[in-house]
Amino acid sequence: MHSGDPVPVRAQAPQQAYVPQQAYAPQQAYAPQQAYAPQQAYAPDPFEAPGTRRAALPEAREEGIARAMDPRFQRQEVAYDGGQRPGTIVIDTPSRFLYLVQPGGRALRYGIGVGRPGFTWSGMKTVSAKREWPDWTPPAEMLRRRPDLPRHMAGGPANPLGARALYLGSSLYRIHGTNEPHTIGQSVSSGCIRMMNEDVTDLYERVPVGARVMVI
């Protein structure tokens, strides 16, 4: 190459056209689905006053009613010196216990739900009838207070009278089961005595029609 000759320029390969990368789209934040919590059904109290029906709430307490039964209301045999003859039912309203008096100074004690303030009562009754999975037909005076109640409900798990019912004399009151077991040990009814279904079934098998019932 001589001085003054033009300097050759090396051909450059054309750069590849710039293709912008696809903008990064962050994944949508994972939001866990809310756990499904089925609403708890509340059957009407047969002797409930108007305007007192309870709505299902997720909180642990609802109008002061515990959502789980206190273990002390479980059925058990205890010492008893009340002086009543064996076979007598004694309902201790303030303590929320029903006693079935046994021989030898013993009794079977069951937890119960009782009437709320203004609906408690006392006196002597007899078991006038017994029913398994009783139907429920609200009396006319109740329907006047609560026209929303059904005119008749067949016996079954959804029935507020539960698995068994012991009818007390000619009154509207009953000792019956419940489909709301968390209300045992509480003042919740309009005068009837509630028991766990398994407890009222046990009592039903032990107590004949004509048994004495003392409510204090």
Side-chain angles (χ1 to χ4, degrees):
M1 178 181 298
H2 300 282
S3 121
D5 289 340
V7 177
V9 178
R10 182 178 297 176
Q12 295 183 351
Q15 293 184 350
Q16 188 174 0
Y18 173 71
V19 179
Q21 294 184 351
Q22 187 174 1
Y24 171 71
Q27 291 184 349
Q28 188 174 2
Y30 172 68
Q33 292 184 349
Q34 187 174 3
Y36 172 68
Q39 290 187 345
Q40 185 166 358
Y42 290 98
D45 182 338
F47 299 97
E48 195 171 50
T52 60
R53 295 183 75 177
R54 299 184 296 280
L57 296 175
E59 291 82 8
R61 287 184 172 270
E62 167 192 69
E63 297 182 3
I65 303 302
R67 304 305 299 151
M69 189 179 76
D70 189 319
R72 69 193 178 97
F73 293 110
Q74 296 288 344
R75 179 172 76 243
Q76 57 184 294
E77 184 175 320
V78 298
Y80 185 80
D81 59 358
Q84 292 80 23
R85 65 172 181 254
T88 302
I89 294 173
V90 179
I91 296 172
D92 185 343
T93 302
S95 297
R96 319 287 198 269
F97 289 123
L98 180 151
Y99 296 88
L100 177 59
V101 181
Q102 303 290 294
R106 307 292 292 175
L108 292 174
R109 191 182 76 182
Y110 306 81
I112 56 175
V114 300
R116 57 186 177 271
F119 290 85
T120 58
W121 58 282
S122 61
M124 294 295 300
K125 296 291 182 184
T126 59
V127 175
S128 54
K130 304 195 303 179
R131 299 284 185 274
E132 298 185 13
W133 293 107
D135 290 354
W136 173 44
T137 302
E141 58 270 25
M142 187 184 302
L143 291 173
R144 284 194 294 270
R145 296 196 311 264
R146 289 284 307 278
D148 59 306
L149 294 179
R151 270 45 182 175
H152 180 81
M153 182 181 289
N159 192 300
L161 297 185
R164 303 287 187 272
L166 288 75
Y167 295 76
L168 302 180
S170 59
S171 72
L172 294 177
Y173 299 126
R174 307 167 176 86
I175 301 169
H176 64 78
T178 182
N179 53 15
E180 295 180 308
H182 64 276
T183 62
I184 300 303
Q186 312 289 337
S187 300
V188 289
S189 77
S190 295
C192 279
I193 305 302
R194 296 184 181 188
M195 302 180 71
M196 296 279 288
N197 277 334
E198 53 265 40
D199 285 352
V200 77
T201 300
D202 182 81
L203 183 70
Y204 182 97
E205 298 298 329
R206 297 175 184 271
V207 173
V209 171
R212 289 165 52 86
V213 180
M214 183 170 72
V215 181
I216 58 176

